[in-house]
Amino acid sequence: MTALKRTPLNDAHRKAGARMVPFGGWDMPVQYTGIVEEHRAVRSAVGLFDVSHMGEFEVEGPQALAALQSLTTNDASTLALGQVQYSVLCYPEGGIVDDLTVYRLADERYMITVNASNIDKDFAWVTEPTAALKGARWRNVSEATGLIAVQGPRAEGLVARLSQDDVAGIRYYHFARGAVAGVPALISRTGYTGEDGFELYVAAGDTERLWSALLEAGRADGVAPIGLGARDTLRLEMKYALYGNDIDETTNPLEAGLGWVVKPAKGEFVGRAAIERVRAAGPRRRLVGLEMVDRSVARHGYPVLKDGRAAGVVTSGSYGPSVDRFIALAYVETPLAAVGTDLAVEIRGQARPARVVKTPFYSPKVKR
Amino acid sequence: MANIPAELRYTKDHEWAKQEGGRIRVGITHFAQEQLGDVVFVELPKAGARATAKKAFGVVESVKAVSDLFAPLSGEVVEVNDALAKAPETVNGDPYGKGWMIVIAPSAPREWDGLLTASQYEEFLAQSGP
């Protein structure tokens, strides 16, 4: 077994008394004070997440756009300078390599942000097929990059107070270059919680200085450091997919509900033909939101039943602190995917009633 | 520091047992609830069920994890803390008090002597500790 990797904030987490766990090869904080308390801090005030473990690649050159277009499902040609796009990398068979965000940094220069556990796989995946494209140079800048997410209704006020830049003027899924607490940053109005907020990309060596400054300046806002546990419950309430749980090489974007980022009209890309076949036939199964009728936690891998027969599988599940319900995501056969369908989840040999519900489970009070 | 009441006995699965006039009250330790994090669901047997030492009698679920509850002693379950169904977070707030789980009428009372004392449990935690 190889040693766990550490983000630039590892010491800060330990000093703060965080409980550390292995996550995708990284030593990461799962919680500081408690998952429910941290979850609520993000919904009601502002939370800081160390997401420095995520991967960042840059691609530059006259063929940079062509490389992205050939690999990702979304249409990167629509990106203006300063704009961000959610997208997916697929295998030729339509399974998902990873989900990612694409940043247009300059005319012929882009950055993509990928999941921590997929960095090596993804870098090989994007560089090998486009190696022949001499006009597209890839660089893995993951180790040089720190990333702090500032999320919650008070995120804008906190970041604005520490910056000379017009951070309030940055629109959702856009970014600007600037400085926060004197640290040069790419300030991106994105996140994985459903709340307003930013993701701040900085030099790895500046990460701890920015983290401390945000904690200090946010004290009156009720700022709290947030672990991976609450990151998971926050994203689950929004039905944001988690790679490795809800999407992976065995799932295609259409059944995962990510058809909105698949743009076959843009031209050829890896997986296009397979996904178009799925679209024509209609996905056999769909990722839906389930609400447990009783108190019971449906977890990844638990079978979904319809009248006693196997009809799907749970991919994520937990107590949702902001909805005060036991919620789950599950793939179910398409005819059973309609809101209101009565199903069951098999939990320790018992069929526990569940119902397909509208998603997101939680509606944030954000203007966008 | 570790919160390990001296008058209780313990299992290596982090349950506590308390003598109450021949009956045994059972719950999970402060350490266990801390490791689990926010408890959101506790599944307990019905009164009258049989408990078997070292075998699961129920389940506790936190936001992140699901964990079996193991009986410290064998016997009949004579009381169940039904209040935990509505307020499972009591296990976090008061693990040795209102967060108790079941009361057992032991069928083999000598099993008590096989449980860890507070100092043995403390030593066990120190050895297995983080």
Side-chain angles (χ1 to χ4, degrees), chain A residues 5 15 23 30 40 111 184-185 210 220 248 264 291 306 326 357 368:
Chain A
K5 285 178 272 195
K15 275 187 212 134
F23 175 83
V30 65
R40 297 214 161 102
M111 175 177 80
L210 177 58
D248 59 27
E291 187 179 304
K306 175 65 181 174
F326 290 81
V357 296
R368 284 202 169 117

Side-chain angles (χ1 to χ4, degrees), chain A residues 19 35-36 295 299 352, chain B residues 34-35 38 40 61-62:
Chain A
R19 183 177 309 154
I35 293 173
V36 173
R295 277 183 171 266
R299 297 189 189 269
R352 299 293 194 120
Chain B
E34 205 173 59
Q35 289 300 305
D38 298 296
V40 294
E61 299 234 26
S62 68

Side-chain angles (χ1 to χ4, degrees), chain A residues 306-331:
Chain A
K306 175 65 181 174
D307 302 328
R309 87 184 158 79
V313 63
V314 173
T315 56
S316 293
S318 181
Y319 171 70
S322 301
V323 295
D324 194 23
R325 297 271 191 284
F326 290 81
I327 56 177
L329 302 181
Y331 283 104

